[in-house]
Amino acid sequence: MRPPQLHDDAAAASPAAPSSNALQGVITSPQRKLAIIDGAVVQDGDPVRGARLGGITDSSAVLRKNGSQDVMLMHPGIEKKRRQ
């Protein structure tokens, strides 16, 4: 058996599970664009969550299914406002 403090430290050191509803990263180059969604690296046209990845920008990915689209944002809590 491990001492209690070692067990607690090991649990705290384990990596956090990725958010299940977030675009976690985007990798772009002149040759290709990739997105990290649900911990998997996917490219344009790949299946994701029962849809197809239909576009990648520097801060978003678009999932398309049955004529509808879902835009996933890197920073969904940030809203852009027009300067007045």
Side-chain angles (χ1 to χ4, degrees), residues 33-78:
K33 293 182 180 182
L34 304 170
I36 304 170
I37 300 173
D38 298 336
V41 178
V42 292
Q43 60 185 355
D44 217 5
D46 284 352
V48 178
R49 298 179 175 185
R52 291 260 173 218
L53 185 57
I56 303 170
T57 69
D58 289 340
S59 61
S60 68
V62 179
L63 300 180
R64 297 184 186 196
K65 181 179 181 178
N66 299 329
S68 66
Q69 66 180 22
D70 181 22
V71 179
M72 301 178 76
L73 302 174
M74 283 285 297
H75 307 286
I78 298 175

Side-chain angles (χ1 to χ4, degrees), residues 1-14:
M1 250 176 124
R2 285 187 221 173
Q5 75 260 24
L6 289 177
H7 180 68
D8 291 341
D9 291 343
S14 66

